[in-house]
Amino acid sequence: MASDGVRRLFESVDKDRSGHIDINELHVALKKSHENHFTSETCQLLFGLFDTNEDGKVDFNEFQQLVVYYQHWLGVFEQLDANKTGFVSHAQLYKTLQECGCGVNLQLCKKLVKCYDTRHTGKLGFDDYMRCCVTVQSLHKGFTLQKTAEGTLSTDLEGLLTLVIRARPKPVANLSVD
Protein backbone atom coordinates (compact mmCIF):
# COMPACT_ATOMS: atom_id res chain seq x y z
CA MET A 1 0.00 0.00 0.00
CA ALA A 2 1.46 3.35 -1.05
CA SER A 3 2.28 5.89 1.64
CA ASP A 4 -0.69 8.11 0.62
CA GLY A 5 -3.01 5.11 0.97
CA VAL A 6 -1.57 4.29 4.37
CA ARG A 7 -1.97 7.94 5.41
CA ARG A 8 -5.66 7.90 4.40
CA LEU A 9 -6.16 4.61 6.24
CA PHE A 10 -4.43 6.01 9.32
CA GLU A 11 -6.67 9.07 9.27
CA SER A 12 -9.80 6.95 8.89
CA VAL A 13 -8.81 4.79 11.88
CA ASP A 14 -7.81 7.80 14.02
CA LYS A 15 -11.42 8.64 14.93
CA ASP A 16 -10.57 11.27 17.56
CA ARG A 17 -8.09 13.01 15.21
CA SER A 18 -5.36 12.86 17.86
CA GLY A 19 -2.62 11.97 15.40
CA HIS A 20 -2.27 8.60 17.13
CA ILE A 21 -4.24 5.39 17.15
CA ASP A 22 -5.18 3.83 20.45
CA ILE A 23 -5.95 0.16 20.95
CA ASN A 24 -9.72 0.73 20.82
CA GLU A 25 -9.51 2.53 17.47
CA LEU A 26 -7.37 -0.27 16.07
CA HIS A 27 -9.73 -2.94 17.39
CA VAL A 28 -12.80 -1.26 15.85
CA ALA A 29 -11.01 -0.98 12.48
CA LEU A 30 -9.82 -4.60 12.52
CA LYS A 31 -13.26 -5.88 13.49
CA LYS A 32 -14.85 -3.81 10.71
CA SER A 33 -12.46 -5.25 8.14
CA HIS A 34 -13.11 -8.84 9.27
CA GLU A 35 -16.89 -9.10 9.55
CA ASN A 36 -16.82 -8.17 13.25
CA HIS A 37 -14.58 -11.10 14.18
CA PHE A 38 -11.15 -9.94 15.16
CA THR A 39 -10.34 -10.90 18.71
CA SER A 40 -9.10 -8.42 21.25
CA GLU A 41 -6.23 -10.83 21.96
CA THR A 42 -5.00 -10.56 18.36
CA CYS A 43 -5.49 -6.80 18.43
CA GLN A 44 -3.46 -6.57 21.64
CA LEU A 45 -0.71 -8.69 20.09
CA LEU A 46 -0.49 -6.45 17.02
CA PHE A 47 -0.70 -3.28 19.06
CA GLY A 48 2.04 -4.50 21.40
CA LEU A 49 4.33 -5.37 18.51
CA PHE A 50 4.08 -1.93 16.96
CA ASP A 51 3.72 0.42 19.93
CA THR A 52 7.50 0.40 19.97
CA ASN A 53 7.92 3.25 22.46
CA GLU A 54 5.24 1.69 24.71
CA ASP A 55 3.27 4.92 25.11
CA GLY A 56 -0.11 3.25 24.57
CA LYS A 57 -0.46 4.82 21.11
CA VAL A 58 0.56 3.92 17.59
CA ASP A 59 1.86 6.88 15.61
CA PHE A 60 1.89 7.05 11.82
CA ASN A 61 5.35 5.47 11.42
CA GLU A 62 4.43 2.61 13.75
CA PHE A 63 1.13 2.23 11.89
CA GLN A 64 2.94 1.96 8.53
CA GLN A 65 4.97 -0.96 9.91
CA LEU A 66 1.83 -2.54 11.35
CA VAL A 67 0.08 -2.33 7.95
CA VAL A 68 3.01 -4.00 6.16
CA TYR A 69 3.10 -6.78 8.77
CA TYR A 70 -0.66 -7.24 8.66
CA GLN A 71 -0.69 -7.35 4.85
CA HIS A 72 2.09 -9.94 4.85
CA TRP A 73 0.11 -12.31 7.08
CA LEU A 74 -3.12 -11.62 5.19
CA GLY A 75 -1.37 -12.45 1.90
CA VAL A 76 0.00 -15.73 3.26
CA PHE A 77 -3.44 -16.61 4.65
CA GLU A 78 -5.19 -15.83 1.37
CA GLN A 79 -2.72 -17.99 -0.58
CA LEU A 80 -3.40 -20.91 1.74
CA ASP A 81 -7.16 -20.30 1.61
CA ALA A 82 -7.32 -20.90 -2.15
CA ASN A 83 -10.96 -22.03 -1.98
CA LYS A 84 -11.89 -18.75 -0.18
CA THR A 85 -13.64 -20.32 2.81
CA GLY A 86 -12.10 -17.84 5.24
CA PHE A 87 -10.42 -20.65 7.17
CA VAL A 88 -7.25 -22.74 7.05
CA SER A 89 -6.72 -26.27 8.31
CA HIS A 90 -4.02 -27.77 10.50
CA ALA A 91 -2.30 -29.03 7.33
CA GLN A 92 -2.19 -25.49 5.93
CA LEU A 93 -0.89 -24.18 9.25
CA TYR A 94 1.78 -26.90 9.13
CA LYS A 95 2.86 -25.64 5.69
CA THR A 96 3.21 -22.08 6.99
CA LEU A 97 5.19 -23.09 10.05
CA GLN A 98 7.50 -25.29 7.99
CA GLU A 99 8.15 -22.38 5.62
CA CYS A 100 8.93 -20.15 8.63
CA GLY A 101 11.58 -22.63 9.74
CA CYS A 102 9.63 -23.91 12.74
CA GLY A 103 10.17 -27.65 12.79
CA VAL A 104 6.77 -28.72 14.14
CA ASN A 105 4.89 -31.86 13.18
CA LEU A 106 1.35 -32.27 11.89
CA GLN A 107 0.06 -33.59 15.22
CA LEU A 108 1.25 -30.47 17.02
CA CYS A 109 -0.43 -28.32 14.35
CA LYS A 110 -3.72 -30.08 15.15
CA LYS A 111 -3.22 -29.11 18.80
CA LEU A 112 -2.38 -25.53 17.84
CA VAL A 113 -5.58 -25.27 15.78
CA LYS A 114 -7.60 -26.58 18.70
CA CYS A 115 -5.92 -24.05 21.00
CA TYR A 116 -6.30 -20.99 18.75
CA ASP A 117 -9.69 -21.77 17.15
CA THR A 118 -11.93 -19.16 18.80
CA ARG A 119 -14.90 -20.05 16.56
CA HIS A 120 -14.75 -23.79 17.39
CA THR A 121 -14.77 -24.83 13.72
CA GLY A 122 -11.70 -27.07 13.73
CA LYS A 123 -10.01 -24.50 11.48
CA LEU A 124 -8.46 -21.07 11.90
CA GLY A 125 -9.91 -17.80 10.66
CA PHE A 126 -7.44 -15.09 9.72
CA ASP A 127 -7.12 -13.46 13.13
CA ASP A 128 -6.66 -16.80 14.91
CA TYR A 129 -4.20 -17.93 12.23
CA MET A 130 -2.13 -14.77 12.49
CA ARG A 131 -2.07 -14.85 16.31
CA CYS A 132 -0.99 -18.50 16.25
CA CYS A 133 1.75 -17.99 13.66
CA VAL A 134 3.13 -14.85 15.28
CA THR A 135 3.18 -16.55 18.69
CA VAL A 136 4.87 -19.70 17.39
CA GLN A 137 7.38 -17.69 15.38
CA SER A 138 8.22 -15.56 18.44
CA LEU A 139 8.63 -18.65 20.61
CA HIS A 140 10.78 -20.27 17.93
CA LYS A 141 13.01 -17.21 17.75
CA GLY A 142 13.35 -17.10 21.55
CA PHE A 143 13.98 -20.82 21.68
CA THR A 144 16.66 -20.60 19.01
CA LEU A 145 18.39 -17.74 20.84
CA GLN A 146 18.32 -19.53 24.20
CA LYS A 147 19.31 -22.84 22.68
CA THR A 148 22.70 -21.40 21.74
CA ALA A 149 23.45 -20.33 25.32
CA GLU A 150 24.89 -23.43 26.95
CA GLY A 151 22.70 -25.06 29.58
CA THR A 152 19.85 -22.53 29.56
CA LEU A 153 17.14 -24.67 27.96
CA SER A 154 16.71 -28.41 27.86
CA THR A 155 13.62 -29.00 25.71
CA ASP A 156 12.82 -28.95 22.04
CA LEU A 157 10.40 -26.60 20.27
CA GLU A 158 7.59 -29.14 20.34
CA GLY A 159 7.97 -29.63 24.09
CA LEU A 160 7.96 -25.89 24.64
CA LEU A 161 4.90 -25.35 22.43
CA THR A 162 3.05 -28.16 24.18
CA LEU A 163 3.70 -26.43 27.51
CA VAL A 164 2.52 -23.09 26.12
CA ILE A 165 -0.68 -24.66 24.75
CA ARG A 166 -1.44 -26.27 28.10
CA ALA A 167 -0.72 -23.11 30.05
CA ARG A 168 -2.57 -20.74 27.72
CA PRO A 169 -5.99 -19.61 28.97
CA LYS A 170 -8.99 -20.32 26.77
CA PRO A 171 -10.01 -17.34 24.59
CA VAL A 172 -12.99 -15.35 25.84
CA ALA A 173 -15.62 -14.81 23.14
CA ASN A 174 -16.66 -11.21 22.48
CA LEU A 175 -14.07 -9.76 24.88
CA SER A 176 -13.84 -6.07 24.09
CA VAL A 177 -10.77 -3.93 24.58
CA ASP A 178 -11.54 -1.17 27.06
Side-chain angles (χ1 to χ4, degrees), residues 109-155:
C109 286
K110 287 180 184 179
K111 291 177 184 177
L112 286 167
V113 166
K114 188 174 181 179
C115 177
Y116 283 90
D117 176 16
T118 59
R119 293 177 189 91
H120 311 290
T121 61
K123 296 184 177 189
L124 299 178
F126 172 64
D127 64 318
D128 298 329
Y129 167 81
M130 184 173 68
R131 188 175 63 258
C132 177
C133 290
V134 170
T135 301
V136 171
Q137 213 176 20
S138 295
L139 287 168
H140 180 259
K141 182 179 178 183
F143 174 79
T144 302
L145 291 174
Q146 290 212 6
K147 187 175 151 186
T148 60
E150 210 171 327
T152 60
L153 191 60
S154 60
T155 188

Side-chain angles (χ1 to χ4, degrees), residues 6-17:
V6 175
R7 174 61 70 184
R8 283 191 298 278
L9 180 59
F10 180 83
E11 290 169 356
S12 74
V13 173
D14 181 19
K15 296 295 184 192
D16 64 2
R17 304 290 182 242

Side-chain angles (χ1 to χ4, degrees), residues 74-90:
L74 183 60
V76 172
F77 181 85
E78 288 174 343
Q79 283 182 339
L80 291 172
D81 183 27
N83 58 2
K84 305 297 180 214
T85 63
F87 297 94
V88 295
S89 69
H90 68 277

Side-chain angles (χ1 to χ4, degrees), residues 19-93:
H20 296 92
I21 294 172
D22 66 30
I23 195 161
N24 292 313
E25 290 170 324
L26 181 62
H27 194 219
V28 167
L30 290 170
K31 284 174 60 175
K32 188 183 287 188
S33 70
H34 290 280
E35 299 173 358
N36 213 30
H37 190 87
F38 207 91
T39 63
S40 58
E41 187 179 353
T42 307
C43 181
Q44 290 169 343
L45 174 67
L46 275 175
F47 196 86
L49 286 171
F50 293 96
D51 178 17
T52 54
N53 60 0
E54 298 179 2
D55 64 355
K57 302 176 235 169
V58 172
D59 64 26
F60 179 69
N61 291 329
E62 293 167 330
F63 184 75
Q64 281 183 298
Q65 295 171 8
L66 186 151
V67 167
V68 168
Y69 190 77
Y70 172 90
Q71 287 180 333
H72 163 76
W73 283 111
L74 183 60
V76 172
F77 181 85
E78 288 174 343
Q79 283 182 339
L80 291 172
D81 183 27
N83 58 2
K84 305 297 180 214
T85 63
F87 297 94
V88 295
S89 69
H90 68 277
Q92 292 164 311
L93 176 63

Side-chain angles (χ1 to χ4, degrees), residues 156-175:
D156 60 11
L157 179 59
E158 286 186 29
L160 178 62
L161 287 173
T162 300
L163 290 173
V164 168
I165 290 168
R166 287 184 185 149
R168 187 180 172 278
K170 301 279 185 214
V172 178
N174 301 321
L175 177 66

